[in-house]
Amino acid sequence: MRSSRPAPDTGGNRRDVCAASAGAVLVVAAVLVGRHVEGTAHTLHVGWPPLYANWLPHVGPGTPAALVVAAAVVAYGPALAARLRWRTLLAVSWATATAWILSLALIDGWHRGVARRLTTKYEYLQVIDRFQDIPATLRDYTHHILIDSPDHWPAHTAGHPPAAPLTFVLLDRAGLGGGGWAGTWCVVTGASACVAVLIAVRALASEELARRAAPFLVLAPAAVWMGASADAYFAAVAAWAVALLALAVTGRSPWWAAGAGLLFGLTCYLSYGLTLFAVIAGAVLLIGHRRVRERPVRLALPLLGGLLVVPALFTLLGFNWWEAYRLLVTRYYQGAGGIRPYWYWVWANLACTVLIVGPATVAGLRRAGAELLPRAGLRARLAEPRIRLAVLVLGALLALLLADLSGMSKAETERIWLPFALWLLAAGAFLPGPRGWLAAQAVVALAVNHLLLTGW
């Protein structure tokens, strides 16, 4: 069996740089074309195309902390990831990812960077008082999705199933009300997604590859948009669903499958678009196909049983997911989604993705693709850890591309696609000489957060 340690490849290093450079060219093209389109046709509805942001060079109280975290991970991250005990590595990764996300958010200050994020007119905290009677609100939920409906929901509430606003309703009732607590919830839970990805990579590929991926998952440019964004919380739920499924198909207790099903069901009631996580789940099942064939019923029954819990609960309470999604599509085209041009966003969205995953991930994805060539005998080669990891990250890339082609994600994908992007970051495990690539990741995140005022 081939070792999971990458072989020396000087030509590959050159191709890595070319791939990262191509990603940079895509970003520059999206900026230049986007500025022209917005300046002439005014149809993009973003302040600094392709990002939903405005040009505003600034520093803040989080600047020193962000620089310290970045320098520490670049200098010591790969070595610590290689030698820490596994459970200690998971705890340190979660803590460091939390510090990275929070320090980047605090570049904008506590109020603007965290506490106010989820309280704007588009956000979930605007509807807390409308959930006094939760069953009645769920029965009435679809009647307020369209813009011309009475008391229509704010954009983010209308654009998501009710588990999204209900999360913040329950936080409020637990005594954790207000934007500060809601923002903190999103930061801390969102940071746990890196732990879920590490657990899945270790289960499906190898511990060595998981350890190599750890610094890239911690020091992600995506952290710019995970600071007090509900999509960071969605990403964590989806990531843990995949992690539990990975544990289930690699020989652990079938109760992991029940947990995976439960979280997959919740994921679909947090965001309609995250139904595409079925593609990533399919990649997990493909990787673990031998174990799945050995005990299909023992895995399928708890998985399906768990999967039905959340949909059954919301349906019994009166919420119709399919009707709500149909109305959402109409609502989407009633707003900016009906004006933003598909021809631009279908490729500019990918430029946003380059910014949230960084140049290291672009280079890592190139190596992941190279691992799967030639395609002949791929099923037999699934025993190799690097092939397994390549299948996992490219499955996430496929899900992202399907979201792109759907036309239901035009702009703001730097936030909306966080759940998919976190799985792409694991491709950093393929890269030799990680410190240089980690430094590039940090530079992208720090530049974006200091030069632009991001929003959603």
Side-chain angles (χ1 to χ4, degrees):
M1 182 183 295
R2 190 171 67 182
S3 169
S4 59
R5 187 179 300 278
D9 183 6
T10 55
N13 293 338
R14 185 166 56 251
R15 288 189 288 271
D16 292 341
V17 173
C18 289
S21 300
V25 169
L26 180 63
V27 171
V28 171
V31 171
L32 296 178
V33 174
R35 288 178 64 84
H36 173 74
V37 173
E38 184 63 12
T40 55
H42 311 292
T43 55
L44 299 187
H45 290 266
V46 293
W48 198 84
L51 298 179
Y52 192 86
N54 292 295
W55 180 260
L56 184 66
H58 63 290
V59 295
T63 297
L67 292 172
V68 169
V69 172
V73 175
V74 171
Y76 304 108
L80 285 174
R83 71 169 184 259
L84 287 175
R85 292 179 57 189
W86 176 249
R87 291 188 179 182
T88 303
L89 173 61
L90 296 182
V92 170
S93 295
W94 188 358
T96 309
T98 301
W100 177 235
I101 296 168
L102 190 58
S103 63
L104 289 172
L106 290 177
I107 291 171
D108 298 331
W110 171 257
H111 179 68
R112 187 168 65 179
V114 179
R116 198 180 69 180
R117 288 291 193 183
L118 291 162
T119 64
T120 68
K121 65 180 181 179
Y122 304 112
E123 283 288 358
Y124 304 104
L125 267 62
Q126 291 291 326
V127 302
I128 296 293
D129 292 340
R130 294 173 64 176
F131 280 79
Q132 296 299 325
D133 184 338
I134 290 176
T137 304
L138 293 178
R139 288 193 299 270
D140 198 43
Y141 198 91
T142 57
H143 297 152
H144 304 285
I145 292 177
L146 299 180
I147 286 181
D148 53 4
S149 61
D151 298 321
H152 65 261
W153 296 118
H156 288 186
T157 303
H160 292 81
L166 193 56
T167 297
F168 299 101
V169 171
L170 296 177
L171 279 176
D172 182 77
R173 294 192 179 180
L176 304 178
W181 282 114
T184 302
W185 167 264
C186 291
V187 168
V188 175
T189 58
S192 76
C194 75
V195 177
V197 176
L198 288 176
I199 289 172
V201 172
R202 182 185 188 232
L204 296 171
S206 72
E207 184 172 320
E208 180 184 354
L209 286 171
R211 289 177 178 276
R212 290 180 60 83
F216 293 98
L217 287 159
V218 167
L219 202 65
V224 172
W225 294 274
M226 294 179 74
S229 165
D231 291 87
Y233 157 57
F234 304 161
V237 175
W240 281 105
V242 174
L244 296 185
L245 182 62
L247 292 175
V249 302
T250 52
R252 277 70 171 183
S253 167
W255 288 108
W256 290 121
L262 184 65
L263 291 182
F264 274 123
L266 177 58
T267 297
C268 294
Y269 278 74
L270 289 170
S271 174
Y272 299 103
L274 294 186
T275 53
L276 286 171
F277 257 73
V279 177
I280 303 177
V284 172
L285 295 175
L286 174 62
I287 293 169
H289 69 281
R290 291 182 180 175
R291 292 294 184 96
V292 173
R293 285 189 309 192
E294 290 172 1
R295 46 179 190 157
V297 176
R298 197 166 173 229
L299 280 172
L301 287 181
L303 178 63
L304 293 176
L307 185 61
L308 291 174
V309 171
V310 173
L313 178 61
F314 276 97
T315 302
L316 288 173
L317 289 173
F319 174 72
N320 187 325
W321 193 97
W322 295 102
E323 174 67 9
Y325 179 71
R326 183 186 67 81
L327 292 170
L328 163 66
V329 173
T330 301
R331 168 72 180 260
Y332 183 75
Y333 286 99
Q334 286 178 327
I339 300 170
R340 288 169 171 157
Y342 181 86
W343 69 265
Y344 172 78
W345 288 110
V346 75
W347 61 274
N349 283 338
L350 302 180
C352 293
T353 303
V354 170
L355 288 171
I356 63 176
V357 302
T361 304
V362 176
L365 288 173
R366 183 207 71 79
R367 285 188 175 252
E371 290 287 340
L372 299 186
L373 297 175
R375 293 170 57 190
L378 178 59
R379 183 175 289 264
R381 291 192 292 136
L382 275 174
E384 301 176 29
R386 291 171 66 85
I387 296 297
R388 290 168 172 249
L389 179 58
V391 169
L392 181 63
V393 297
L394 293 178
L397 179 61
L398 175 59
L400 184 148
L401 293 174
L402 291 174
D404 188 32
L405 294 174
S406 74
M408 289 295 291
S409 298
K410 290 182 288 188
E412 303 179 59
T413 51
E414 64 271 19
R415 168 183 57 82
I416 298 169
W417 288 355
L418 285 173
F420 306 112
L422 293 180
W423 292 92
L424 303 183
L425 294 166
F430 291 118
L431 296 172
R435 285 192 175 87
W437 288 110
L438 285 169
Q441 298 288 86
V443 167
V444 169
L446 291 167
V448 168
N449 223 138
H450 282 93
L451 295 177
L452 301 173
L453 180 62
T454 57
W456 38 84

